């Protein structure tokens, strides 16, 4: 399991994925992250580690300012009722602590327990900014390389436009 910034950055290097990482104070909210990373070009990630009432796990990655309605998202995904997964499960499956959730943590889901969900509005950005397994740094990489990274882990990402698709659902 990769658990440190250095390990995941070395793995990106092994895959030939270019990245740039900047250090900053530890951040635990989108607002705190924006204070230190808003100057970085590209889309900035918000990540939700979710569990449904059928014990399926979801890692949803979207733009940091995206509003996510869990009830409607569950309908869209064909999931049971969604809730935030416990920190212990996050550490067990993705190897990160709360506040450090990142799409790069999917590398630690060797049992393929987690479905990686990416909002297409995030992927519309040429560059994407996310934590490198630790919340005291931000890594910038190409959107296409993030998709390749996820696929290299054996996961096929679910690509959704959360706004457009959710708007087409019947009212909750």
């Amino acid at each position: 399991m990769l658990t440190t910034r250095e390990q995941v950055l070395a793995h990106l290097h092994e895959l030939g994925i270019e990245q740039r990482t900047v250090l900053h104070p530890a951040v635990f909210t989108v607002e705190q992250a924006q204070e230190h990373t808003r100057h970085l070009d590209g889309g900035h990630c918000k990540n939700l580690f979710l569990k449904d009432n059928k014990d399926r796990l979801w890692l949803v990655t979207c733009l940091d300012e995206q509003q996510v309605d869990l009830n409607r998202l569950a309908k869209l995904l064909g999931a049971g009722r969604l809730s935030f997964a416990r920190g212990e499960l996050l550490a067990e499956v993705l190897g990160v602590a709360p506040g450090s959730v990142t799409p790069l943590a999917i590398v630690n889901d060797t049992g393929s327990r987690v479905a990686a969900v990416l909002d297409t509005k995030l992927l519309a950005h040429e560059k994407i900014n996310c934590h490198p397994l630790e919340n005291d740094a931000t890594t910038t990489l190409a959107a296409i390389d993030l998709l390749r990274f996820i696929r290299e882990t054996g996961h096929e990402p679910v690509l959704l436009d959360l706004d457009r698709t959710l708007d087409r659902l019947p009212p909750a």
Side-chain angles (χ1 to χ4, degrees):
M1 184 172 282
L2 305 180
T3 58
T4 67
R5 171 177 56 246
E6 292 78 16
Q7 289 172 331
V8 77
L9 295 179
H11 187 63
L12 288 169
H13 180 75
E14 290 168 7
L15 295 173
I17 294 176
E18 292 183 28
Q19 57 77 29
R20 187 176 130 232
T21 299
V22 297
L23 304 180
H24 51 70
V27 295
F28 296 90
T29 66
V30 166
E31 294 76 21
Q32 290 174 347
Q34 288 175 342
E35 289 178 36
H36 303 288
T37 64
R38 187 51 58 201
H39 67 282
L40 300 174
D41 289 337
H44 296 261
C45 292
K46 172 167 67 176
N47 301 279
L48 309 173
F49 183 57
L50 306 169
K51 180 181 176 189
D52 73 10
N53 61 355
K54 300 174 187 173
D55 289 330
R56 292 183 296 181
L57 302 175
W58 310 85
L59 175 57
V60 178
T61 301
C62 57
L63 285 168
D64 60 357
E65 296 177 351
Q66 175 72 43
Q67 296 295 313
V68 180
D69 178 324
L70 295 185
N71 291 328
R72 296 183 83 201
L73 178 59
K75 290 177 186 175
L76 177 63
L77 293 172
R81 184 169 183 239
L82 290 171
S83 61
F84 290 94
R86 295 182 340 272
E88 297 83 10
L89 185 59
L90 175 63
E92 173 191 331
V93 179
L94 295 181
V96 294
S100 296
V101 183
T102 172
L104 299 178
I106 201 74
V107 70
N108 291 323
D109 178 34
T110 57
S112 297
R113 294 173 61 187
V114 180
V117 179
L118 298 172
D119 185 14
T120 56
K121 291 182 301 304
L122 174 68
L123 295 175
H125 291 268
E126 184 178 330
K127 297 177 184 177
I128 294 180
N129 298 286
C130 59
H131 291 312
L133 304 183
E134 299 171 358
N135 66 353
D136 61 354
T138 297
T139 296
T140 305
L141 66 157
I144 195 161
D145 285 335
L146 176 61
L147 286 171
R148 184 164 67 89
F149 178 86
I150 292 170
R151 289 180 174 125
E152 289 277 343
T153 70
H155 294 81
E156 183 56 39
V158 176
L159 307 180
L160 300 173
D161 178 339
L162 295 178
D163 286 330
R164 188 180 71 229
T165 306
L166 289 176
D167 288 344
R168 291 185 183 160
L169 290 175

